[in-house]
């Protein structure tokens, strides 16, 4: 008799686990509380599905156990992921190491996964509602199987894979219910927080510069200590800061805020020059444009909204003659451009986050198999775990890797 496997959660990691378990010859049942599986995949990579990234190293992942993510990926990594999707018929396109389906459509990835589930005979049960789990009894005469009860019935298995996701983007089905299930089964949950998310700032002037996009370096500081920094296109909003560099450092702000620290972002709006070089450049500009008003001093360099804010914060009247700018004012402009500080009040909520930091403690999970160290036959995968990747296909890679390992070992 073939092994029976139940998977709770039909996202990227859950579907992958189902496919690999079925390939081992297991009878697989995939339970999903939404009306269809894989909904979150459709929004990845701005609808183009950044599947993975050929640049893969420890700096791409964050976890309370630093070496855990790369140990998992050493068993099923980027190359195995490429082979997996090529076997499903997906033609991959490389954009500077970022891999996408050549179709440019996330829907084609979901279609390929769903078709493979059907071909392998995986039983997919949608709209199954909240699940209740009865674990096998370790006693001599106890039950040797897992029982999962939901609105669609009771299901029994020899192995159980939790692929329930996190609390990020709840509209796609990630409602945090997996944390409750994992905790009831004996696992420690590190409080989940929004990550890859926008940051809300206390300063009131952001409404004046909303809509501005510019290349910058964004650094996060907490109680005077620098935590992280990243460079890319910064987006200024009416409430604060957004864009890829903000997403990349947001989990550090999120964690520090949760600990009660005073958090600020320091923005370098012109990383091409250091502060001394910038000061010289501003003085050269003062000489070159001396006959103009201060209002046009930064024209052709910065967006007008941002330029006017710099002038106001530096105490420079827009109608002041450029040649009359003092050394103190030039130095203050240089500081604002290179070390613009704003206090972070909070992150945007889980509804706006792409992923979470925190989750099931990975010290209680075997990185070779994804099996629980607390309950034999239980596997934890994907965003449920305390691992979060940066932007660029790393979180989907984590889903493929953990799902594949759980499916392979859970299905044997």
């Amino acid at each position: 008799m073939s092994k029976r496997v139940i998977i709770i959660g039909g996202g990227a990691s859950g579907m992958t686990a189902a496919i690999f378990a079925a390939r081992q010859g297991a009878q697989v049942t995939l339970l999903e509380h939404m009306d269809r599986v894989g909904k979150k995949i459709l929004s990845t990579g701005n609808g183009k599905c950044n599947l993975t990234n050929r640049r893969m190293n420890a700096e791409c992942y964050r976890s309370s156990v630093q070496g855990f993510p790369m140990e998992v990926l050493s068993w099923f990594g980027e190359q195995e992921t490429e082979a997996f999707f090529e076997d499903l018929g997906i033609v991959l396109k490389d954009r500077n190491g970022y891999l996408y389906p050549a179709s440019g459509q996330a829907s084609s990835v979901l279609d390929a996964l769903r078709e493979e589930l059907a071909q392998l005979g995986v039983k997919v049960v949608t709209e199954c509602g909240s699940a209740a789990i009865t674990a096998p009894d370790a006693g001599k005469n106890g039950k040797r199987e897992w029982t999962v009860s939901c609105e669609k019935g009771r299901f029994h298995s020899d192995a159980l894979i939790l692929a329930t996701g996190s609390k990020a983007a709840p509209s796609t089905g990630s409602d945090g219910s997996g944390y409750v299930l994992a905790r009831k089964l004996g696992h420690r949950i590190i409080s989940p927080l929004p990550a890859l998310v926008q940051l809300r700032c206390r300063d009131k002037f952001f409404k004046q510069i909303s809509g501005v996009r510019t290349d910058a370096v964004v650094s996060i500081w907490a109680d005077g200590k620098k935590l992280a920094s990243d460079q890319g296109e910064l987006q200024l909003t009416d409430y604060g800061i957004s864009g890829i560099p903000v997403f990349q450092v947001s989990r550090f702000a999120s964690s520090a805020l949760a600990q009660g620290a005073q958090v600020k972002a320091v923005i370098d709006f012109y990383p091409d020059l250091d502060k001394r070089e910038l000061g010289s450049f501003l003085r050269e500009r003062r000489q070159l444009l001396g006959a103009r008003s201060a209002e046009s001093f930064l024209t052709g360099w910065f967006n007008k909204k941002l330029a006017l804010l710099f002038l106001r914060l530096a105490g420079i009247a827009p109608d002041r003659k450029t040649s009359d700018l003092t050394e103190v004012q030039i130095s203050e402009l240089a500081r604002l451009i290179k070390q613009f500080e704003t206090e972070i009040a909070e992150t945007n909520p889980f509804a706006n986050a792409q992923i979470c930091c925190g989750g099931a403690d990975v010290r209680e999970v075997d990185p070779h198999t994804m099996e629980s160290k607390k309950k034999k036959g239980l596997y934890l995968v994907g965003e449920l775990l305390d691992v979060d990747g940066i932007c660029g296909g790393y979180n989907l890679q984590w889903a493929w890797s953990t799902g594949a390992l759980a499916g392979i070992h859970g299905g044997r």
Side-chain angles (χ1 to χ4, degrees):
M1 183 177 176
S2 57
K3 193 171 184 180
R4 300 166 299 166
V5 177
I6 290 175
I7 299 161
I8 303 179
S13 61
M15 286 189 288
T16 306
I19 288 169
F20 278 91
R23 287 179 178 180
Q24 307 307 306
Q27 295 180 25
V28 182
T29 301
L30 179 60
L31 305 178
E32 168 58 44
H33 71 142
M34 298 288 282
D35 59 353
R36 64 178 297 184
V37 296
K39 187 174 180 180
K40 193 170 184 179
I41 290 175
L42 298 176
S43 63
T44 59
N46 291 320
K48 296 180 180 179
C49 195
N50 181 190
L51 285 166
T52 184
N53 200 303
R54 284 179 169 159
R55 173 185 168 267
M56 199 66 61
N57 58 53
E59 295 178 356
C60 302
Y61 291 96
R62 289 81 180 253
S63 173
S64 56
V65 180
Q66 190 173 4
F68 187 87
M70 295 310 293
E71 189 168 357
V72 170
L73 266 64
S74 72
W75 294 95
F76 191 100
E78 182 272 325
Q79 291 184 1
E80 288 81 5
T81 296
E82 285 193 44
F84 172 54
F85 281 102
E86 286 171 348
D87 285 346
L88 294 181
I90 299 294
V91 176
L92 299 175
K93 185 172 184 179
D94 186 335
R95 298 179 184 173
N96 298 317
Y98 295 67
L99 294 185
Y100 297 82
S103 64
Q105 295 178 297
S107 59
S108 62
V109 174
L110 179 54
D111 288 343
L113 291 168
R114 293 176 69 187
E115 288 168 13
E116 184 71 359
L117 290 173
Q119 190 165 341
L120 290 167
V122 172
K123 181 179 181 180
V124 177
V125 182
T126 58
E127 299 179 291
C128 62
S130 299
I133 300 170
T134 302
D137 190 332
K140 186 176 180 180
N141 299 316
K143 285 188 175 181
R144 299 290 180 176
E145 63 183 13
W146 294 88
T147 300
V148 179
S149 304
C150 67
E151 293 173 5
K152 292 295 182 74
R154 301 181 72 185
F155 304 89
H156 307 280
S157 69
D158 305 297
L160 175 66
I161 300 174
L162 291 184
T164 49
S166 62
K167 292 178 72 174
S171 63
T172 64
S174 299
D175 61 1
S177 59
Y179 300 132
V180 177
L181 295 175
R183 186 180 285 114
K184 286 182 177 179
L185 293 170
H187 279 266
R188 175 175 178 261
I189 303 298
I190 297 168
S191 295
L193 299 167
L196 298 188
V197 69
Q198 306 87 351
L199 299 177
R200 306 185 76 88
C201 303
R202 295 197 185 281
D203 295 291
K204 303 300 183 184
F205 53 67
F206 277 96
K207 289 185 178 180
Q208 303 166 28
I209 54 176
S210 178
V212 173
R213 295 177 178 232
T214 183
D215 186 67
V217 174
V218 181
S219 302
I220 295 297
W221 293 68
D223 292 340
K225 181 181 178 182
K226 184 177 178 179
L227 303 181
S229 67
D230 198 76
Q231 181 171 351
E233 187 183 63
L234 172 68
Q235 298 176 25
L236 301 172
T237 71
D238 59 355
Y239 57 78
I241 54 178
S242 183
I244 296 297
V246 174
F247 288 174
Q248 304 288 45
V249 300
S250 61
R251 64 104 61 206
F252 296 97
S254 196
S255 296
L257 287 166
Q259 294 167 19
Q262 184 177 35
V263 181
K264 67 179 180 180
V266 178
I267 303 169
D268 181 351
F269 281 103
Y270 201 67
D272 292 351
L273 299 177
D274 63 28
K275 193 173 180 180
R276 182 186 61 79
E277 293 169 333
L278 181 66
S280 298
F281 184 58
L282 285 168
R283 293 181 186 91
E284 291 171 5
R285 251 181 113 75
R286 177 177 59 184
Q287 184 174 354
L288 176 68
L289 307 173
R292 297 187 187 180
S293 67
E295 185 174 3
S296 63
F297 182 51
L298 302 178
T299 298
W301 185 4
F302 292 105
N303 181 285
K304 189 171 184 178
K305 289 181 182 180
L306 194 55
L308 289 173
L309 178 65
F310 288 153
L311 293 176
R312 181 169 70 80
L313 294 178
I316 301 170
D319 59 354
R320 183 177 182 130
K321 196 174 179 181
T322 293
S323 60
D324 291 337
L325 295 180
T326 67
E327 278 299 307
V328 171
Q329 289 171 327
I330 290 292
S331 295
E332 182 60 9
L333 272 179
R335 186 191 68 79
L336 287 166
I337 292 169
K338 292 294 294 180
Q339 294 175 296
F340 190 95
E341 296 186 9
T342 181
E343 186 178 354
I344 305 301
E346 59 185 352
T347 70
N348 264 354
F350 287 110
N352 300 110
Q354 292 183 23
I355 58 164
C356 291
C357 56
D361 192 338
V362 296
R363 284 169 288 201
E364 299 172 346
V365 177
D366 185 335
H368 302 168
T369 65
M370 308 315 298
E371 186 172 18
S372 165
K373 295 178 181 178
K374 297 283 188 176
K375 295 279 186 184
K376 186 172 178 57
L378 173 66
Y379 299 79
L380 295 87
V381 301
E383 288 185 38
L384 177 63
L385 295 164
D386 175 32
V387 174
D388 55 288
I390 62 174
C391 295
Y394 297 101
N395 291 292
L396 274 180
Q397 177 62 62
W398 182 247
W400 316 134
S401 295
T402 56
L405 289 176
I408 290 168
H409 294 281
R412 286 177 177 167

